[in-house]
Amino acid sequence: MNHINHHPDEATLLSYAAGALPRSFAVLIDCHLEQCPQCHEKIFKAEAIAGEFIEHSPPIEANDSDALRDKFFAALDAEPTPQQLAHTVGNEPQLPIEVVAVLSGRDQELPWRFIVPGMHSITLNSSDLHSSESSLKLLRIAPGRNLPMHSHQGSELTMVLQGAFQDELGCFRPGDVADLDHEVEHQPITIGNEACICLVAMDAPLEFKSLVPKLLQPFIGF
Amino acid sequence: MGELKLENSEQQDWDSCLVAVAETGDRKLFMAFYDYFTPRLRSWLIKLTSDRDLAEELSQEAFLQAWRRAKTFDPKKAKASTWLFTIARNLFVDHKRRQKVEQKHAEKLAGGDIQDVDFGLDNGLVKKAIANLPHQQSQMIYQSYYLGRSHSEIAKATGLPLGTIKSSIRLAFQKLCIELDPL
Ligand SMILES: [Zn+2]
């Protein structure tokens, strides 16, 4: 397992634990967690804080608490025991098939869409990943290419799946996450001999400052 | 597993209660867990969903799942309350995905409304830890955990820049970790 140098912001991990991240961001964090025990630990801590909230919340009784309790007990009575169920429950997050394809070196099989020379993308549409509020994309940038400089309207998370890029913040390799917001302007450049493939989650469209005129943005999907 | 150790802290009781449930399949014992945590989980879910019926539905389902997953509970990894939270949270997240309540959520965001938040916590370490946070930080923590708002949604609701929101949450998280350690 490679060493990870760039992690999501702790604020992002807390929101993940709270169930408050937009779906596309949460999926990207799932991908990072597969490789990062360190962030897992932090998420456990953020969940433990929530556990304290639950435990010390003021108890609220429902108007029909007794009826609800009876209903629940009846449902419980119909359930098999936990032992009988032990092997049927799993809770592993499912990574998007496109991400799995990249991670297992089958990225050529994916339906890449041309954006500008040296840059292709795929919008992950599976289930509910793409909405007006947030989206998840794969971005493939050829070796030695600049990513167009852009600023962010909202939050953005980028995780490297293959290859590497560099920007003002350092070098990002597989597993690394760049956690940026609209106050940061950056100009990443790919490094190494292979194409750099990133998973990008955002909750507002990217605004390219060069290369792609603003009017074309809706057309290319960014 | 013998008798629940009542002389220990309440929490350890619930941890061993769940372990005992997993081992014995004792439904009555599980109902003790249900009776203690239902009014508390309800309290949080009502804030999160602003919908009593939905809160009830999610709560009932969370306890059914807790029963079904009892064997996966590991007190070395998480306390019973934390484990229950993660089950309820996952149900809430799934519900959001299905129902797209995000739209409804977004509509609820009135610009610049910063009302005083009340965690309503009972006396304990966590109440003190929250009280020790600067107002803005506890506000952000509340919006994340109790309203389920993303950073951008908090920005919309408060009019604060994203960077400020993220650093407030980050600082609050770090302080809470120190004050509540070891959880
Ligand atoms: Zn990490």
Side-chain angles (χ1 to χ4, degrees), chain A residues 7-8 32 36 39:
Chain A
H7 302 271
H32 179 72
C36 188
C39 285

Side-chain angles (χ1 to χ4, degrees), chain B residues 9 40 44 85 105 112 121 139 162 169 174:
Chain B
S9 82
R40 290 166 173 81
W44 172 66
F85 161 78
H105 242 318
L121 298 165
Q139 169 95 26
L162 267 178
I169 295 176
Q174 288 164 356

